[in-house]
Amino acid sequence: QDLGHASYARMVRIYANAGGTYGDLWGSTLKRVDQGNLLLTDKGMPIKVSALSTLGNANPDWMGGITNTFGYTGFDLSFQIDMRYGGDVYMGSIRTGTNSGTLEKSLHGREGFVVDGIIESTGQRNTQEVKAENYWGTMASRTEPWIYDATNIRLRELSVGYTVPRKVLSNTPIQSAKISFVGRNLWMIHSKTDGFDPESGFSTGNAQGFEFGSMPTPRSLGFNVNVTF
């Protein structure tokens, strides 16, 4: 059963296949020879394989986190670091940005470059120069170039607090008081998705492993005040 969204029908899909694994990502690959070299058209462009292939799986190999708290003379520092290892994601924002020429990776070859590969019709090494605009326009209709490793490590939360000493409150009806600064989603320590958040998914349902024009994961900063009477 096809579990992908209609807007991705020609680019990437999640299938539930007998004998497969939930979360398998299917899409078009680039044609290669046995040694892994790209096969190219006479114009020096990569060739798409018409049949869909499995390109990865949206599920992580494992997930983990570290939480710790330190305290000293009324001050405390708490943090949480999360890690997701493995899993794949289709980065539609990178595809669109590269095709539109708005991402840094699209700068290469603006004046022309030669794609490394073999011309299919001749079996010879490619020497045909192409423009970046035409190259990325062609690659935008393929799925394989936009499948990324979703591994990431992030500072999920940081809290710095101060507990007011009891002697300061001795002449007040307040039994205890604490003020804290809290920040969430503060720092992407490591990611392979070129400045985009691999967790900014298209859906929380079956359409896992899709990112396409998603809003960035929000960063929040705030204060907590806890008072006991």
Side-chain angles (χ1 to χ4, degrees):
Q1 181 182 1
D2 181 3
L3 301 178
H5 190 273
S7 62
Y8 294 92
R10 292 182 296 176
M11 289 303 302
V12 61
R13 298 182 181 188
I14 288 183
Y15 281 105
N17 282 342
T21 302
Y22 178 79
D24 285 344
L25 301 174
W26 289 68
S28 59
T29 57
L30 302 176
K31 201 169 186 180
R32 290 180 167 86
V33 293
D34 293 339
Q35 295 80 9
N37 292 311
L38 287 173
L39 281 177
L40 310 175
T41 66
D42 291 342
K43 295 183 178 180
M45 288 294 186
I47 300 171
K48 179 172 68 173
V49 178
S50 57
L52 298 181
S53 301
T54 306
L55 298 174
N57 188 281
N59 296 305
D61 296 332
W62 55 267
M63 300 176 70
I66 299 173
T67 300
N68 214 334
T69 301
F70 303 92
Y72 180 73
T73 63
F75 289 94
D76 61 80
L77 171 68
S78 300
F79 68 86
Q80 178 182 338
I81 295 175
D82 287 346
M83 178 177 184
R84 169 192 169 116
Y85 181 80
D88 302 286
V89 58
Y90 173 80
M91 296 302 298
S93 292
I94 297 179
R95 167 191 172 271
T96 301
T98 306
N99 185 35
S100 302
T102 58
L103 296 186
E104 184 178 358
K105 68 183 301 179
S106 68
L107 290 174
H108 172 67
R110 294 265 175 120
E111 302 303 320
F113 71 102
V114 176
V115 179
D116 187 20
I118 304 296
I119 299 297
E120 184 177 38
S121 63
T122 65
Q124 301 298 312
R125 179 67 59 177
N126 177 43
T127 59
Q128 181 71 39
E129 189 175 85
V130 299
K131 294 292 181 66
E133 178 181 2
N134 297 329
Y135 174 78
W136 290 117
T138 297
M139 297 299 276
S141 64
R142 281 62 168 150
T143 310
E144 180 184 343
W146 317 111
I147 300 293
Y148 281 72
D149 183 350
T151 297
N152 68 90
I153 306 171
R154 69 183 70 212
L155 178 59
R156 182 75 68 179
E157 183 172 311
L158 178 70
S159 173
V160 180
Y162 176 69
T163 300
V164 180
R166 289 292 301 273
K167 63 181 180 180
V168 175
L169 305 173
S170 59
N171 296 323
T172 72
I174 299 174
Q175 298 297 314
S176 65
K178 179 179 179 180
I179 184 170
S180 304
F181 165 80
V182 180
R184 294 182 176 86
N185 196 38
L186 296 176
W187 179 26
M188 180 69 77
I189 301 171
H190 171 75
S191 176
K192 297 183 178 181
T193 52
D194 295 345
F196 291 87
D197 188 348
E199 293 184 5
S200 295
F202 173 78
S203 170
T204 57
N206 283 323
Q208 298 298 302
F210 295 149
E211 186 285 328
F212 196 90
S214 305
M215 293 293 291
T217 306
R219 174 183 299 160
S220 64
L221 303 172
F223 287 93
N224 289 335
V225 178
N226 297 316
V227 178
T228 302
F229 293 94

